[in-house]
Amino acid sequence: MTVHVIGGGLAGLSAAIAVVGRGERVILSEAARYAGGRCRSYHDGMLDMTIDNGNHLVLSGNMAVDRYLRDIGAEGRVTRPERPEFHFVDLQLGGRWTLRPDDGVVPWWILHAKRRVPGTRLSDYLALLTLLRRHPGQRVDQVIRRDTVLWEKFLRPVFLSALNTAPEGASADLAGAIVRETFARGGRHMRPLISSPNLAAAFIDPALDRLRCDGADIRLGRPLRAVRFADGRAAALAFDGEEEPLQPDDRVIVAVPPWIAEKLLPGLIVPQTFSAILNAHFQLVPPSQAPAMVGLIGGTAEWIFAFEDRISVTVSAADHLMDTDSDSLTLLLWRDVAFVHDLSGPVPPCRIVKEKRATFAATPAEDARRPAARTEWANLFLAGDWTDTGLPATIEGALRSGNRAATLALSGA
């Protein structure tokens, strides 16, 4: 049996890793000449340094991430802080605070004014309990109050980054999934993990090495143009200049973006609305005491990341900034960075990276369009953070989808 994995992003890589782990043959085909999809690193000629296309945050409680890193031998490629801490700066009021959850499940931290969001009351945190329940088809603004300090100073920015969608109109169930897998499980599951030195070194290169070591056939620069079907099965895969027939026991895992999947697979229903993400990378060594990650309230930037050789900024749901020129964006974002880290002097060289279709819009309507991993074709399965994982479009969701597709492909093998 051969399992054909179409797409070399994280969903495809996790599926391929799971399959070779069971001793089966894998052919991984990726349209681009590099793997990683939206989670990749590259050498930027202007900055003359390696940067990530975006800042992708994972948490210590992300079980699929933990398993994937173990499987590819990359546990040491992410930094793991000793305790869960989330630093915030309010650019409107000039205040700074640090959220320090307890390691255990019981949230004793909300009883201590210095450990919770300033100005919040204990009753504000009941919103988290509300989101633990399922609310099918409902928006966040239909489920919890938004006229609280907790919403404005913490929940809204956290949900905005996790959902990459304006939280007010986002799916309450997807927001609840974030709460169930983080706050509800305690601080030991909330420690932010930062890729070191970059995304490719942590998530991509070790996976490719592992696949090659286990005999996988990796074919980059090989876009799939069509799937031929017969008798309720995928019968052949058409690539540029070649068509590869499938044997009766072969399987196919399609792990490509949704707009490509719907062209390949007739009748497939996929999300149709997407949200942008904006990232900026400043060529500047951060101050020695700079936190690894700072959340901003009231600025253009939303999260500022401090790496060894650069400072990076992320803005989620950034559709309103996509038409702004790079020079203007650089000045806007540098103003926030300079304030947070008390920097002066000229603006350092900067690379602006825009992802116009970074994730599906995490609204109830688009969430309802996410397909399951199993399809109408007996030997073809789907993977991707846009499939029905129960999570927003995250690294954790992408890896889970790959594991799920691999399990289905191998069942009965």
Side-chain angles (χ1 to χ4, degrees), residues 52-132:
D52 300 327
N53 72 311
N55 301 303
H56 299 261
L57 178 67
V58 296
L59 299 175
S60 53
N62 291 156
M63 295 294 101
V65 169
D66 189 61
R67 173 183 171 182
Y68 176 80
L69 293 175
R70 287 200 316 270
D71 287 346
I72 65 175
E75 303 99 312
R77 301 290 181 88
V78 293
T79 60
R80 299 174 183 265
E82 294 181 1
R83 61 185 64 88
E85 289 186 341
F86 296 87
H87 304 275
F88 287 88
V89 174
D90 191 327
L91 298 182
Q92 296 170 330
L93 302 178
R96 297 172 183 258
W97 73 89
T98 301
L99 196 73
R100 297 184 175 91
D102 299 281
D103 272 348
V105 174
V106 180
W108 299 113
W109 59 277
I110 67 174
L111 301 176
H112 302 275
K114 292 184 178 181
R115 296 177 63 189
R116 64 178 187 249
V117 179
T120 59
R121 301 169 298 179
L122 295 182
S123 59
D124 295 339
Y125 292 83
L126 295 177
L128 298 177
L129 295 178
T130 302
L131 285 171
L132 289 178

Coordinates of all heavy atoms in Angstrom, one line a residue, residues 52-132:
D52 N 10.7 34.1 9.8 CA 9.5 33.3 9.6 C 8.4 34.1 8.8 O 8.4 35.4 8.9 CB 8.9 32.9 10.9 CG 9.8 32.1 11.8 OD1 10.6 31.3 11.2 OD2 9.8 32.2 13.0
N53 N 7.6 33.4 8.0 CA 6.6 34.2 7.3 C 5.6 34.8 8.3 O 4.9 35.8 8.0 CB 5.8 33.3 6.3 CG 4.9 32.3 7.0 OD1 5.3 31.6 7.9 ND2 3.7 32.2 6.5
G54 N 5.5 34.2 9.5 CA 4.6 34.8 10.5 C 5.0 34.2 11.8 O 5.8 33.3 12.0
N55 N 4.4 34.8 12.9 CA 4.7 34.4 14.3 C 3.5 33.5 14.7 O 2.4 33.9 15.0 CB 4.8 35.6 15.2 CG 5.9 36.6 14.7 OD1 7.0 36.2 14.6 ND2 5.5 37.8 14.5
H56 N 3.8 32.2 14.8 CA 2.8 31.2 15.1 C 3.0 30.7 16.5 O 4.1 30.1 16.9 CB 2.9 30.0 14.2 CG 2.7 30.3 12.7 ND1 1.5 30.1 12.1 CD2 3.5 30.9 11.8 CE1 1.5 30.5 10.8 NE2 2.7 31.0 10.6
L57 N 2.1 31.0 17.4 CA 2.2 30.7 18.8 C 1.6 29.3 19.1 O 0.5 29.0 18.6 CB 1.5 31.7 19.7 CG 1.5 31.5 21.2 CD1 2.9 31.6 21.7 CD2 0.6 32.5 21.9
V58 N 2.3 28.5 19.8 CA 1.7 27.2 20.4 C 1.9 27.3 21.9 O 2.7 28.0 22.4 CB 2.4 26.0 19.7 CG1 2.1 25.9 18.3 CG2 3.9 26.0 20.0
L59 N 1.1 26.4 22.5 CA 1.1 26.4 24.0 C 1.5 25.0 24.5 O 1.3 24.0 23.8 CB -0.3 26.8 24.6 CG -0.8 28.2 24.2 CD1 -2.3 28.3 24.7 CD2 0.1 29.2 24.8
S60 N 1.9 25.0 25.7 CA 2.4 23.7 26.3 C 1.4 22.6 26.4 O 1.7 21.4 26.4 CB 3.0 23.9 27.7 OG 2.1 24.6 28.5
G61 N 0.1 23.0 26.4 CA -1.0 22.1 26.4 C -1.5 21.5 25.1 O -2.4 20.7 25.0
N62 N -0.8 22.0 24.0 CA -1.2 21.5 22.7 C -0.7 20.1 22.5 O 0.5 19.9 22.1 CB -0.6 22.4 21.6 CG -1.3 23.8 21.6 OD1 -0.7 24.8 21.1 ND2 -2.5 23.9 22.1
M63 N -1.5 19.1 22.7 CA -1.1 17.7 22.7 C -0.6 17.2 21.3 O 0.4 16.5 21.2 CB -2.2 16.8 23.1 CG -2.7 17.0 24.6 SD -1.4 16.6 25.8 CE -0.7 18.2 26.2
A64 N -1.2 17.7 20.2 CA -0.8 17.2 18.9 C 0.6 17.8 18.6 O 1.4 17.2 18.0 CB -1.8 17.6 17.8
V65 N 0.8 19.1 19.0 CA 2.1 19.7 18.8 C 3.2 18.9 19.6 O 4.3 18.6 19.1 CB 2.1 21.2 19.3 CG1 3.5 21.7 19.4 CG2 1.2 22.0 18.4
D66 N 2.9 18.6 20.8 CA 3.9 17.8 21.6 C 4.2 16.5 21.0 O 5.4 16.1 20.9 CB 3.3 17.6 23.1 CG 4.3 17.1 24.0 OD1 5.3 17.7 24.3 OD2 4.0 16.0 24.5
R67 N 3.2 15.8 20.5 CA 3.4 14.5 19.9 C 4.2 14.6 18.6 O 5.1 13.8 18.4 CB 2.1 13.8 19.6 CG 2.1 12.5 18.8 CD 0.8 12.0 18.5 NE 0.8 10.9 17.6 CZ -0.2 10.3 17.1 NH1 -1.4 10.6 17.5 NH2 -0.1 9.3 16.2
Y68 N 3.9 15.6 17.8 CA 4.6 15.8 16.5 C 6.0 16.1 16.8 O 6.9 15.6 16.1 CB 3.9 17.0 15.8 CG 4.5 17.4 14.5 CD1 4.3 16.7 13.3 CD2 5.3 18.6 14.4 CE1 4.9 17.1 12.1 CE2 5.8 19.0 13.2 CZ 5.6 18.2 12.1 OH 6.2 18.7 10.9
L69 N 6.3 17.0 17.7 CA 7.7 17.4 18.0 C 8.5 16.2 18.5 O 9.7 16.0 18.1 CB 7.8 18.5 19.0 CG 7.3 19.9 18.5 CD1 7.3 20.9 19.7 CD2 8.1 20.4 17.3
R70 N 7.9 15.3 19.3 CA 8.5 14.1 19.8 C 8.8 13.2 18.6 O 9.9 12.6 18.5 CB 7.7 13.4 20.8 CG 7.6 14.0 22.2 CD 7.2 13.0 23.2 NE 6.1 12.2 22.8 CZ 4.8 12.5 23.0 NH1 4.5 13.7 23.6 NH2 3.8 11.7 22.6
D71 N 7.8 13.0 17.7 CA 7.9 12.1 16.6 C 9.1 12.5 15.6 O 9.7 11.6 15.0 CB 6.6 12.0 15.8 CG 5.6 11.2 16.6 OD1 5.9 10.5 17.6 OD2 4.4 11.3 16.2
I72 N 9.3 13.8 15.5 CA 10.3 14.2 14.5 C 11.6 14.6 15.3 O 12.6 15.1 14.6 CB 9.8 15.5 13.7 CG1 9.6 16.7 14.6 CG2 8.5 15.1 12.9 CD1 9.2 17.9 13.8
G73 N 11.7 14.3 16.6 CA 12.9 14.6 17.3 C 13.2 16.0 17.5 O 14.4 16.4 17.5
A74 N 12.2 16.9 17.6 CA 12.5 18.3 17.7 C 12.0 18.9 19.0 O 11.7 20.2 19.1 CB 11.8 19.0 16.5
E75 N 11.9 18.2 20.1 CA 11.4 18.7 21.4 C 12.2 19.9 21.8 O 11.7 20.8 22.4 CB 11.4 17.6 22.5 CG 10.6 16.4 22.1 CD 11.5 15.3 21.6 OE1 12.4 15.5 20.8 OE2 11.4 14.1 22.1
G76 N 13.5 19.9 21.5 CA 14.4 21.0 22.0 C 14.4 22.2 21.1 O 15.1 23.1 21.4
R77 N 13.6 22.2 20.1 CA 13.6 23.3 19.1 C 12.5 24.4 19.5 O 12.3 25.3 18.7 CB 13.3 22.8 17.7 CG 14.3 21.8 17.2 CD 15.6 22.4 16.9 NE 16.6 21.4 16.4 CZ 16.7 21.1 15.1 NH1 16.0 21.7 14.2 NH2 17.6 20.2 14.7
V78 N 11.9 24.2 20.7 CA 11.0 25.3 21.1 C 11.4 25.7 22.6 O 11.8 24.8 23.3 CB 9.5 24.8 21.1 CG1 9.0 24.6 19.7 CG2 9.3 23.6 22.0
T79 N 11.3 26.9 22.9 CA 11.7 27.4 24.2 C 10.5 27.2 25.1 O 9.3 27.5 24.7 CB 12.1 28.9 24.2 OG1 11.0 29.7 23.7 CG2 13.3 29.1 23.3
R80 N 10.7 26.7 26.3 CA 9.7 26.4 27.3 C 9.9 27.2 28.5 O 10.8 26.9 29.3 CB 9.6 24.9 27.6 CG 9.3 24.1 26.3 CD 9.5 22.6 26.7 NE 9.3 21.8 25.5 CZ 8.1 21.2 25.1 NH1 7.0 21.4 25.8 NH2 8.0 20.5 24.0
P81 N 9.1 28.3 28.8 CA 9.3 29.1 30.0 C 9.0 28.3 31.3 O 8.3 27.3 31.2 CB 8.4 30.3 29.8 CG 7.3 29.7 28.9 CD 8.0 28.8 28.0
E82 N 9.6 28.7 32.4 CA 9.4 28.0 33.6 C 8.0 28.1 34.1 O 7.5 27.3 34.9 CB 10.4 28.5 34.7 CG 11.9 28.2 34.3 CD 12.8 28.7 35.4 OE1 12.3 29.2 36.4 OE2 14.0 28.5 35.3
R83 N 7.3 29.2 33.8 CA 6.0 29.5 34.4 C 5.2 30.2 33.3 O 5.7 30.9 32.4 CB 6.1 30.3 35.6 CG 6.7 31.7 35.4 CD 6.8 32.4 36.7 NE 7.7 31.8 37.6 CZ 9.0 32.0 37.6 NH1 9.6 32.8 36.7 NH2 9.8 31.4 38.4
P84 N 3.8 30.1 33.4 CA 3.0 30.8 32.4 C 2.9 32.2 32.8 O 2.4 32.6 33.9 CB 1.6 30.0 32.6 CG 1.6 29.5 34.0 CD 3.1 29.2 34.3
E85 N 3.3 33.1 31.9 CA 3.2 34.5 32.1 C 2.9 35.2 30.8 O 3.4 34.9 29.8 CB 4.5 35.1 32.6 CG 4.9 34.7 34.1 CD 6.1 35.5 34.6 OE1 6.9 36.0 33.7 OE2 6.3 35.5 35.8
F86 N 1.9 36.1 30.9 CA 1.5 36.9 29.7 C 1.6 38.4 30.0 O 0.9 38.9 30.8 CB 0.1 36.5 29.3 CG 0.0 35.0 28.9 CD1 -0.3 34.0 29.8 CD2 0.1 34.6 27.6 CE1 -0.4 32.7 29.5 CE2 0.0 33.3 27.2 CZ -0.2 32.3 28.2
H87 N 2.5 39.0 29.3 CA 2.8 40.4 29.5 C 1.9 41.3 28.6 O 1.8 41.0 27.4 CB 4.3 40.7 29.3 CG 5.2 39.9 30.1 ND1 5.5 40.2 31.4 CD2 5.8 38.7 29.9 CE1 6.3 39.3 31.9 NE2 6.5 38.4 31.0
F88 N 1.4 42.4 29.1 CA 0.5 43.3 28.4 C 0.9 44.7 28.6 O 1.4 45.1 29.7 CB -0.9 43.1 28.7 CG -1.6 41.8 28.2 CD1 -1.5 40.7 29.0 CD2 -2.2 41.8 27.0 CE1 -2.0 39.5 28.5 CE2 -2.7 40.6 26.5 CZ -2.7 39.5 27.3
V89 N 0.8 45.5 27.6 CA 1.0 47.0 27.7 C -0.3 47.6 27.1 O -0.7 47.3 26.0 CB 2.2 47.4 26.9 CG1 2.3 48.9 26.8 CG2 3.5 46.8 27.5
D90 N -0.8 48.6 27.9 CA -2.0 49.3 27.4 C -1.5 50.7 26.8 O -1.0 51.5 27.6 CB -2.9 49.6 28.6 CG -4.3 50.1 28.1 OD1 -4.3 50.9 27.2 OD2 -5.3 49.8 28.8
L91 N -1.5 50.8 25.5 CA -1.0 52.0 24.9 C -1.9 53.2 25.1 O -1.4 54.4 25.0 CB -0.8 51.8 23.4 CG 0.2 50.7 23.0 CD1 0.4 50.6 21.5 CD2 1.6 50.9 23.7
Q92 N -3.1 53.0 25.4 CA -4.0 54.1 25.7 C -3.8 54.7 27.1 O -3.8 55.9 27.2 CB -5.5 53.6 25.5 CG -5.8 53.2 24.1 CD -7.2 52.5 24.0 OE1 -7.6 51.8 25.0 NE2 -7.8 52.6 22.8
L93 N -3.7 53.8 28.1 CA -3.6 54.3 29.4 C -2.1 54.3 29.9 O -1.8 54.8 31.0 CB -4.4 53.4 30.4 CG -5.9 53.3 30.0 CD1 -6.6 52.4 31.0 CD2 -6.5 54.7 30.1
G94 N -1.2 53.6 29.2 CA 0.2 53.6 29.6 C 0.5 52.5 30.7 O 1.6 52.5 31.2
G95 N -0.5 51.7 31.0 CA -0.3 50.7 32.0 C 0.4 49.4 31.5 O 0.3 49.1 30.3
R96 N 1.0 48.7 32.4 CA 1.6 47.4 32.1 C 1.2 46.4 33.2 O 1.2 46.8 34.3 CB 3.2 47.6 32.0 CG 3.7 48.5 30.9 CD 5.2 48.7 31.1 NE 5.6 49.7 30.0 CZ 6.3 49.4 28.9 NH1 6.6 48.1 28.7 NH2 6.6 50.3 28.0
W97 N 1.0 45.2 32.7 CA 0.6 44.2 33.7 C 1.0 42.8 33.2 O 1.3 42.7 32.0 CB -0.8 44.2 34.1 CG -1.8 43.7 33.1 CD1 -2.2 42.4 32.9 CD2 -2.5 44.5 32.1 NE1 -3.1 42.3 31.9 CE2 -3.3 43.6 31.3 CE3 -2.5 45.8 31.7 CZ2 -4.1 44.0 30.3 CZ3 -3.3 46.2 30.7 CH2 -4.1 45.3 30.0
T98 N 1.1 41.9 34.1 CA 1.4 40.5 33.7 C 0.4 39.6 34.3 O 0.1 39.6 35.5 CB 2.8 40.1 34.2 OG1 3.8 41.0 33.7 CG2 3.2 38.7 33.8
L99 N -0.2 38.7 33.4 CA -1.1 37.7 33.9 C -0.4 36.5 34.2 O 0.4 36.0 33.5 CB -2.1 37.4 32.7 CG -3.4 36.7 33.1 CD1 -4.3 37.6 33.8 CD2 -4.1 36.1 31.8
R100 N -0.6 36.0 35.5 CA 0.2 34.8 36.0 C -0.8 33.7 36.5 O -1.1 33.7 37.7 CB 1.1 35.2 37.1 CG 2.2 36.2 36.7 CD 3.1 36.5 37.8 NE 4.2 37.4 37.5 CZ 4.2 38.7 37.5 NH1 3.1 39.3 38.0 NH2 5.2 39.4 37.2
P101 N -1.3 32.9 35.6 CA -2.2 31.8 36.0 C -1.4 30.8 36.9 O -0.2 30.6 36.8 CB -2.6 31.1 34.7 CG -2.3 32.1 33.6 CD -1.1 32.9 34.1
D102 N -2.2 30.0 37.7 CA -1.7 28.9 38.5 C -1.4 27.7 37.6 O -2.0 27.6 36.5 CB -2.7 28.5 39.5 CG -3.0 29.6 40.5 OD1 -2.1 29.8 41.4 OD2 -4.1 30.2 40.4
D103 N -0.4 26.9 38.0 CA -0.2 25.7 37.2 C -1.3 24.7 37.2 O -1.6 24.0 36.2 CB 1.1 25.0 37.7 CG 2.3 25.5 37.1 OD1 2.2 26.3 36.1 OD2 3.4 25.2 37.6
G104 N -2.0 24.6 38.4 CA -3.1 23.7 38.5 C -4.4 24.1 37.9 O -4.5 25.2 37.4
V105 N -5.4 23.2 37.9 CA -6.7 23.5 37.3 C -7.5 24.6 38.0 O -8.2 25.4 37.4 CB -7.5 22.2 37.2 CG1 -8.9 22.5 36.7 CG2 -6.8 21.2 36.3
V106 N -7.4 24.6 39.4 CA -8.2 25.6 40.1 C -7.6 27.0 39.9 O -6.4 27.2 40.2 CB -8.2 25.2 41.6 CG1 -9.0 26.3 42.4 CG2 -8.7 23.8 41.8
P107 N -8.3 27.9 39.4 CA -7.8 29.2 39.1 C -7.7 30.2 40.3 O -8.3 31.2 40.4 CB -8.8 29.8 38.1 CG -10.1 29.2 38.5 CD -9.8 27.8 39.0
W108 N -6.8 29.8 41.2 CA -6.6 30.7 42.4 C -6.1 32.1 42.0 O -6.3 33.0 42.8 CB -5.6 30.0 43.4 CG -6.0 28.7 43.9 CD1 -5.4 27.5 43.7 CD2 -7.1 28.4 44.8 NE1 -6.1 26.5 44.3 CE2 -7.1 27.0 45.0 CE3 -8.1 29.2 45.4 CZ2 -8.1 26.4 45.8 CZ3 -9.1 28.5 46.2 CH2 -9.0 27.2 46.4
W109 N -5.5 32.2 40.9 CA -4.9 33.5 40.5 C -5.9 34.6 40.4 O -5.6 35.8 40.6 CB -4.1 33.3 39.2 CG -4.9 32.8 38.0 CD1 -5.3 31.5 37.7 CD2 -5.5 33.6 37.0 NE1 -6.0 31.5 36.6 CE2 -6.2 32.7 36.1 CE3 -5.6 35.0 36.7 CZ2 -6.9 33.2 35.0 CZ3 -6.2 35.4 35.6 CH2 -6.9 34.5 34.7
I110 N -7.2 34.3 40.0 CA -8.1 35.3 39.9 C -8.5 36.0 41.2 O -9.2 37.0 41.2 CB -9.4 34.9 39.1 CG1 -10.2 33.8 39.9 CG2 -9.0 34.3 37.7 CD1 -11.5 33.5 39.2
L111 N -8.1 35.3 42.3 CA -8.4 35.9 43.6 C -7.4 37.0 44.0 O -7.6 37.7 45.0 CB -8.4 34.8 44.7 CG -9.4 33.7 44.5 CD1 -9.2 32.6 45.6 CD2 -10.8 34.2 44.5
H112 N -6.3 37.1 43.2 CA -5.2 38.0 43.6 C -5.2 39.1 42.5 O -4.9 38.9 41.4 CB -3.9 37.3 43.6 CG -3.8 36.1 44.5 ND1 -3.5 36.3 45.9 CD2 -4.0 34.8 44.4 CE1 -3.5 35.1 46.5 NE2 -3.9 34.2 45.6
A113 N -5.4 40.3 43.0 CA -5.5 41.5 42.1 C -4.3 41.7 41.3 O -4.4 42.1 40.1 CB -5.8 42.7 42.9
K114 N -3.1 41.4 41.8 CA -1.9 41.6 41.1 C -1.6 40.6 40.1 O -0.7 40.7 39.3 CB -0.7 41.7 42.1 CG -0.7 42.9 43.0 CD 0.5 43.0 43.9 CE 0.5 44.3 44.8 NZ 1.7 44.4 45.6
R115 N -2.4 39.5 40.1 CA -2.1 38.4 39.1 C -3.2 38.4 38.0 O -3.0 37.7 37.0 CB -2.1 37.1 39.8 CG -0.9 36.9 40.8 CD -0.9 35.6 41.5 NE -0.8 34.5 40.6 CZ -0.9 33.2 40.9 NH1 -1.2 32.9 42.2 NH2 -0.7 32.3 40.0
R116 N -4.2 39.1 38.2 CA -5.3 39.1 37.1 C -5.2 40.5 36.4 O -4.4 41.3 36.7 CB -6.6 38.9 37.7 CG -7.1 39.9 38.7 CD -8.5 39.6 39.2 NE -9.1 40.6 40.0 CZ -9.3 40.6 41.3 NH1 -9.0 39.4 42.0 NH2 -9.8 41.6 42.0
V117 N -6.1 40.6 35.4 CA -6.2 41.9 34.7 C -6.6 43.0 35.5 O -7.6 43.0 36.2 CB -7.1 41.7 33.5 CG1 -7.2 43.0 32.7 CG2 -6.8 40.5 32.6
P118 N -5.8 44.1 35.6 CA -6.2 45.3 36.4 C -7.5 45.8 36.1 O -8.0 45.9 35.0 CB -5.1 46.3 36.1 CG -3.9 45.5 35.5 CD -4.5 44.4 34.8
G119 N -8.3 46.1 37.2 CA -9.6 46.7 37.0 C -10.7 45.7 36.8 O -11.9 46.0 36.7
T120 N -10.4 44.4 36.8 CA -11.4 43.3 36.7 C -11.9 42.9 38.0 O -11.3 43.0 39.0 CB -10.8 42.1 35.9 OG1 -9.7 41.6 36.6 CG2 -10.4 42.5 34.5
R121 N -13.1 42.4 38.0 CA -13.8 41.8 39.2 C -13.9 40.3 39.0 O -13.8 39.8 37.9 CB -15.2 42.4 39.3 CG -15.2 43.9 39.5 CD -16.6 44.4 39.4 NE -17.2 44.2 38.1 CZ -18.4 44.5 37.7 NH1 -19.2 45.1 38.6 NH2 -18.9 44.2 36.5
L122 N -14.0 39.6 40.1 CA -14.1 38.2 40.1 C -15.3 37.7 39.2 O -15.2 36.7 38.4 CB -14.3 37.6 41.5 CG -13.1 37.8 42.4 CD1 -13.4 37.1 43.8 CD2 -11.8 37.2 41.8
S123 N -16.4 38.5 39.2 CA -17.6 38.1 38.5 C -17.3 38.2 37.0 O -18.0 37.5 36.2 CB -18.8 39.0 38.8 OG -18.5 40.4 38.6
D124 N -16.4 39.0 36.6 CA -16.1 39.1 35.1 C -15.6 37.8 34.5 O -15.9 37.4 33.4 CB -15.0 40.1 34.9 CG -15.4 41.5 35.2 OD1 -16.6 41.8 35.3 OD2 -14.5 42.4 35.5
Y125 N -15.0 37.0 35.4 CA -14.4 35.7 34.9 C -15.4 34.6 34.7 O -15.1 33.5 34.2 CB -13.2 35.3 35.8 CG -12.1 36.2 35.8 CD1 -12.1 37.4 36.5 CD2 -11.0 36.0 34.9 CE1 -11.0 38.3 36.5 CE2 -9.9 36.9 34.9 CZ -9.9 38.0 35.6 OH -8.9 38.9 35.6
L126 N -16.6 34.9 35.1 CA -17.7 33.9 34.8 C -17.9 33.7 33.3 O -18.5 32.7 32.9 CB -19.0 34.3 35.5 CG -18.9 34.4 37.1 CD1 -20.3 34.9 37.6 CD2 -18.6 33.0 37.6
A127 N -17.5 34.7 32.5 CA -17.6 34.6 31.1 C -16.9 33.3 30.6 O -17.3 32.7 29.6 CB -17.1 35.8 30.4
L128 N -15.8 33.0 31.2 CA -15.0 31.8 30.8 C -15.8 30.5 31.1 O -15.8 29.6 30.3 CB -13.7 31.8 31.6 CG -12.8 32.9 31.3 CD1 -11.5 32.8 32.2 CD2 -12.4 33.0 29.8
L129 N -16.6 30.5 32.2 CA -17.4 29.3 32.5 C -18.5 29.2 31.4 O -18.9 28.1 31.0 CB -18.0 29.4 33.9 CG -17.0 29.4 35.0 CD1 -17.8 29.6 36.4 CD2 -16.3 28.1 35.1
T130 N -19.1 30.3 31.0 CA -20.1 30.3 30.0 C -19.6 29.7 28.7 O -20.3 28.9 28.1 CB -20.6 31.7 29.8 OG1 -21.1 32.3 31.0 CG2 -21.8 31.7 28.7
L131 N -18.4 30.0 28.3 CA -17.9 29.5 27.1 C -17.5 28.1 27.2 O -17.2 27.4 26.1 CB -16.6 30.4 26.7 CG -17.0 31.7 26.1 CD1 -15.7 32.6 25.9 CD2 -17.7 31.6 24.8
L132 N -17.4 27.5 28.4 CA -17.1 26.1 28.5 C -18.3 25.2 27.9 O -18.1 24.1 27.5 CB -16.9 25.7 29.9 CG -15.5 26.2 30.5 CD1 -15.4 25.8 32.0 CD2 -14.3 25.6 29.7

